[in-house]
Amino acid sequence: MAKRLAPTDEARGDGGAAPAREQAPAVAWRGGLAGPFATLLLAARRLGRSWRLLLAVELGMIVAVALLATAPFYGDLVASVQLQSTLASATGPDRNLQVDATIASLYKPNLTAIDQSVEGVVRGYVGGIVTGPTEYLQTTRPLVLTKLNGHPIATALPQYPAYKGAQDLAMAFDYAQAAPYMKLYSGRLPRDGTGDALPEVMVTPAMGVKPGAILTFTDSQVVGLVYRARVVGVWFPKNENDPFWNGLGFDTVVSTILNNPPPPQFPILFTRTALTQMFNYPPTQVNQPMGLGLHYIYYVSPSAITVGHAQDIANNVKTLRNALDAEVPNANGVYLVDLSTKLATLLGSVTSLLANQTLPLYSVDGQLVALALLFIFVMAGLLVESQAGEIATLKSRGASTTQILLTYLTQGLLLSAGALLVGVGVAGGLALALVRFLIPLSASVRATLTPAYLATALTPRDALVPAVIGAGLGLLALLVASWQAARLDALAYRREQRRGDRAPFWRRYSLDLGLVVLCGAAYLELATFGGLGTRSQLNSLPGAPGTLGGASAVDYVQIAAPTLLLLAGALLIQRALPWALRALAWLAGRLRGATATLALAQASRAGATFGRLTLLLTLAVGLGLYALSFQTTLQQSAHDNASYLTGADERVVIEPESMGTPTTTGFTAAFAKMPGVVSATPLYRGTALTLANQGGQDVDVLGVDPATFAQTATWRSDYARQSLPQLMAILARAKHGPQAGTSAQPLVALIDQTYANAFQLSVGEAFQLAPQEEGQASTASSV
């Protein structure tokens, strides 16, 4: 197609002067605010032309919002898992609530009033987390079996340990509730009798009687009272460890290893009606020999407890204890009310543990925030740099900085709103996936983490604040990048393109080197003194100079150390990156082909963009490595805490003086022979006092058996340079005898580094301890 060309100035022959009718007055755009729709129109046109880069910025904002919102979601989920794992692993007596009301004498009309009073108080404080109750009754004193089928017990039942003072516990259960948890060996469950029929009872196999036997009992303290009952069944719990029994045991043990063993006890199960009729005493009766214990078991539902109100529940349980003691005993003849549970302690320990874990998580959150902000800034910078020429042209034609910023603000608000909505949803799913795939969960905990429980356990308000911060940071990064480009007109933009990049502010002021020095000082302080918190604790020892009164300081330097170390390493890489690029470009120039040379030359020329991408990649890799090591540390810490709290599978505490035994030497061998016992070791645990000239500080003392301690104790390889068997070999070589512990023959002791640093002790030096027991003199020991 032919086109008509406009004549040039020379062709017109008028010396370049255009006709007056063709000249238009030059009107400059002097800035100011544009019309109400101009900014929106310009933003919409740019959105259509640069949607790919805008989509990249949007994805960056979504990632930032999701990362920032995942942290509180993940924290809530981990806290819920920790709480549910603690409740699931707790035994019935530790988790459930048992109210024990004791009355001096049984009067049947009072029982209903007591039941209603206890129920009302418990439901008023912890009704939202408990189910039940299950109630069982037990007499305050045991009965003594004297006859079987009318014959003396010594001849009719010779295996019954009457010679050891055997006692029979009169109990009653609600068999409609208890029957699923009971195993009948013979006979049936007891029923309420009519008329003068003997009350029906059940016994355990240990008693050695069969259904149909007639038992005759007497009161263990009141002479002349005789009770008779008929055996209708022999039973035992299907599982004594079932939470239904709440730790109540029915085993009858006849001890053979103790010189003064407790009396064997045999449970005798009545119906509630039969038991209350047998021991019912009106208040007017002078002789009221038997009291009764009313035991109400309330089963705690773990799914009803969340971290958000765990502390409130713990406070309510503590208040419930006082309320029961204040309200129930005021009527109905109750003289003692007790609440048996460790629920408040369990919840308190979990909340305390979570509070302690919050401080280390600050370092992870700080790195996430820094990484998210850098990612958004890089994406926004790429978008604005692609439009820098257009921005410079607009600025040269009179567009103001405000108008340009309003254009990007309109785009940024749309992007931030979309990222906020999508990112919060992604954060919830990501946090749940991390918990389910990275944290080993038991079947009971998985069953508890239902959608309904998560809806109450998660706190969207906690995630909304960081999500808004993430969206706001993305918008801020976009505005900062557009403001930097809006400062340049067309001429300044071309000069900036020709001129090399200006060094960033952190390199001009050597902030990266300052961070390296700070991280080195923090590491030296940690390795030498064990942290500022440890140093404060040592300074707070009695008699120590510069005491802080026992107050422990929060070591913010140690909390921020991982983030500072990661940032310092990344900035050092950035400082060395230009030299590395120049060296690679020089090397590529001596090789064949122009591809590598052009690529390295472009990377070294566009140092700012390439440097930001490299910094982003470096921080992402570093954060990933730190997250993996941090997760491993948390898992090891949880394992160590559990091992420390439990100690061993079973601990038997023996007080020789109260049992009348001169020594406990034979107990270890007897315990080791029991079924299921892998190893057993004797321990002595006590406290001692360092002498006044050595600080006068109380210390924990542990006496071990070198021959068996290494096979039983839990030990980590980083506790000492030597293994536990090697340390036990050192103790085994120590001399023993009547002179052990004197200055002439000091004991051999293993001490930790903190104690050695506090009292300036080293290997081979001697020190003295004063055991905190009456009649004991100071004991000399050597390290």
Side-chain angles (χ1 to χ4, degrees):
M1 175 184 291
K3 295 183 180 180
R4 182 178 180 181
L5 301 178
T8 61
D9 296 339
E10 292 79 7
R12 288 197 300 264
D14 54 1
R21 59 182 179 86
E22 295 183 1
Q23 290 182 351
V27 179
W29 186 4
R30 300 188 181 279
L33 295 176
F37 300 104
T39 300
L40 293 177
L41 181 60
L42 184 57
R45 290 181 176 178
R46 287 189 174 179
L47 183 64
R49 291 196 304 268
S50 56
W51 64 270
R52 293 180 178 84
L53 285 175
L54 286 174
L55 180 61
V57 175
E58 174 71 359
L59 291 177
M61 288 186 177
I62 292 176
V63 170
V65 171
L67 284 176
L68 293 176
T70 298
F73 276 148
Y74 182 75
D76 290 341
L77 288 175
V78 170
S80 299
V81 169
Q82 177 72 30
L83 175 63
Q84 294 302 322
S85 299
T86 301
L87 294 176
S89 60
T91 60
D94 291 344
R95 183 179 63 213
N96 298 329
L97 279 72
Q98 178 169 326
V99 180
D100 302 318
T102 307
I103 54 179
S105 62
L106 172 61
Y107 184 51
K108 286 184 62 177
N110 289 344
L111 295 183
T112 302
I114 296 174
D115 292 344
Q116 295 176 352
S117 178
V118 171
E119 176 75 2
V121 176
V122 173
R123 294 293 177 183
Y125 285 92
V126 292
I129 65 169
V130 295
T131 59
T134 295
E135 179 187 8
Y136 73 93
L137 282 63
Q138 181 176 332
T139 56
T140 54
R141 292 198 304 271
L143 303 176
V144 177
L145 181 62
T146 58
K147 293 183 180 181
L148 175 64
N149 295 327
H151 301 287
I153 194 67
T155 57
L157 196 63
Q159 68 272 23
Y160 185 80
Y163 63 94
K164 286 188 174 291
Q167 300 174 347
D168 300 281
L169 306 177
M171 308 175 68
F173 282 87
D174 183 350
Y175 298 107
Q177 296 177 334
Y181 306 96
M182 305 176 75
K183 180 180 180 181
L184 281 174
Y185 290 93
S186 59
R188 58 175 175 82
L189 297 173
R191 301 169 186 165
D192 293 329
T194 58
D196 296 332
L198 293 177
E200 297 179 351
V201 297
M202 287 197 308
V203 297
T204 59
M207 180 168 281
V209 299
K210 298 179 179 180
I214 305 299
L215 307 178
T216 303
F217 304 96
T218 61
D219 194 302
S220 60
Q221 294 185 9
V222 179
V223 180
L225 292 180
V226 179
Y227 309 97
R228 300 175 68 218
R230 182 187 301 275
V231 178
V232 296
V234 179
W235 81 287
F236 202 75
K238 291 181 179 179
N239 181 11
E240 285 187 285
N241 297 322
D242 193 286
F244 175 82
W245 302 110
N246 200 45
L248 188 62
F250 299 92
D251 285 316
T252 299
V253 179
V254 181
S255 178
T256 58
I257 65 173
L258 299 178
N259 296 336
N260 187 19
Q265 296 180 336
F266 297 87
I268 310 296
L269 268 58
F270 294 78
T271 65
R272 179 185 174 99
T273 301
L275 186 65
T276 54
Q277 287 179 349
M278 180 179 294
F279 300 104
N280 181 49
Y281 299 97
T284 57
Q285 181 174 333
V286 178
N287 187 13
Q288 299 177 359
M290 187 65 73
L292 193 68
L294 310 176
H295 306 276
Y296 307 87
I297 303 175
Y298 290 86
Y299 303 100
V300 173
S301 176
S303 60
I305 302 178
T306 61
V307 177
H309 64 285
Q311 189 59 49
D312 295 335
I313 294 175
N315 296 333
N316 289 343
V317 171
K318 295 178 181 178
T319 307
L320 172 62
R321 187 185 305 274
N322 298 328
L324 286 169
D325 191 51
E327 298 180 24
V328 177
N330 292 336
N332 308 315
V334 179
Y335 74 91
L336 179 63
V337 177
D338 186 30
L339 177 64
S340 301
T341 184
K342 292 184 179 179
L343 181 62
T345 304
L346 285 176
L347 297 180
S349 63
V350 171
T351 53
S352 176
L353 178 62
L354 295 176
N356 292 333
Q357 290 179 347
T358 301
L359 291 178
L361 287 175
Y362 284 159
S363 59
V364 179
D365 289 337
Q367 295 179 57
L368 286 174
V369 172
L371 184 62
L373 179 60
L374 179 61
F375 183 80
I376 296 172
F377 188 78
V378 169
M379 293 295 101
L382 291 176
L383 171 65
V384 175
E385 285 180 6
S386 67
Q387 301 176 352
E390 180 181 351
I391 295 174
T393 302
L394 292 174
K395 189 68 181 295
S396 299
R397 293 182 178 181
S400 65
T401 303
T402 303
Q403 292 170 336
I404 295 175
L405 290 181
L406 284 177
T407 302
Y408 282 97
L409 178 62
T410 304
Q411 294 179 353
L413 288 175
L414 295 176
L415 297 178
S416 299
L420 188 62
L421 295 176
V422 178
V424 173
V426 172
L430 180 60
L432 184 59
L434 290 175
V435 170
R436 289 191 176 274
F437 291 104
L438 297 182
I439 299 179
L441 304 177
S442 62
S444 59
V445 174
R446 286 184 179 273
T448 304
L449 297 179
T450 60
Y453 179 81
L454 294 178
T456 57
L458 296 179
T459 308
R461 181 179 63 256
D462 296 340
L464 184 61
V465 174
V468 172
I469 292 177
L473 290 176
L475 180 61
L476 179 63
L478 183 62
L479 292 178
V480 170
S482 61
W483 175 76
Q484 290 179 346
R487 295 180 304 167
L488 305 177
D489 54 16
L491 181 59
Y493 171 72
R494 292 188 178 90
R495 290 176 178 174
E496 184 70 19
Q497 291 294 102
R498 292 194 301 267
R499 189 172 58 245
D501 293 329
R502 187 181 182 186
F505 76 96
W506 56 265
R507 189 183 300 174
R508 294 198 303 268
Y509 296 101
S510 300
L511 296 182
D512 54 340
L513 300 180
L515 277 179
V516 171
V517 174
L518 180 61
C519 292
Y523 177 79
L524 179 63
E525 188 265 342
L526 176 64
T528 306
F529 302 104
L532 294 177
T534 304
R535 190 189 306 176
S536 300
Q537 294 177 4
L538 292 178
N539 288 337
S540 64
L541 295 176
T547 178
L548 298 177
S552 59
V554 178
D555 195 347
Y556 295 102
V557 175
Q558 299 299 330
I559 294 175
T563 303
L564 296 178
L565 184 62
L566 182 63
L567 184 60
L571 292 181
L572 282 180
I573 294 177
Q574 289 295 297
R575 178 178 286 272
L577 185 61
W579 300 340
L581 290 176
R582 295 192 193 99
L584 291 175
W586 177 83
L587 181 61
R590 275 136 182 84
L591 301 177
R592 293 183 178 181
T595 303
T597 303
L598 291 176
L600 292 172
Q602 180 66 21
S604 60
R605 187 171 184 270
T609 303
F610 188 75
R612 286 196 294 266
L613 293 174
T614 306
L615 180 61
L616 178 63
L617 180 62
T618 304
L619 290 177
V621 173
L623 179 59
L625 295 176
Y626 177 79
L628 291 176
S629 61
F630 185 75
Q631 178 70 16
T632 304
T633 302
L634 284 182
Q635 292 179 352
Q636 183 64 41
S637 177
H639 179 271
D640 294 341
N641 287 333
S643 300
Y644 177 78
L645 292 175
T646 57
D649 295 333
E650 189 69 31
R651 286 185 291 177
V652 180
V653 180
I654 300 176
E655 299 178 1
E657 293 182 357
S658 63
M659 294 185 178
T661 54
T663 179
T664 60
T665 305
F667 290 171
T668 303
F671 292 147
K673 294 178 181 179
M674 291 183 177
V677 176
V678 178
S679 62
T681 184
L683 297 172
Y684 167 79
R685 185 180 298 274
T687 58
L689 182 68
T690 58
L691 297 187
N693 58 357
Q694 294 177 332
Q697 175 69 24
D698 285 334
V699 295
D700 294 328
V701 176
L702 184 67
V704 302
D705 179 13
T708 58
F709 185 71
Q711 291 78 26
T712 309
T714 300
W715 185 263
R716 274 177 33 181
S717 59
D718 57 343
Y719 282 166
R721 294 187 179 93
Q722 297 93 342
S723 64
L724 184 58
Q726 292 174 335
L727 295 176
M728 292 299 102
I730 297 175
L731 294 181
R733 291 193 297 267
K735 296 181 181 180
H736 301 281
Q739 299 299 319
T742 63
S743 58
Q745 188 179 334
L747 298 174
V748 177
L750 302 175
I751 62 175
D752 61 10
Q753 190 62 46
T754 302
Y755 184 82
N757 294 339
F759 298 102
Q760 294 82 42
L761 296 175
S762 59
V763 177
E765 294 185 356
F767 63 99
Q768 287 184 310
L769 295 175
Q772 297 300 293
E773 297 179 3
E774 295 183 359
Q776 296 289 336
S778 62
T779 302
S781 303
S782 62
V783 181

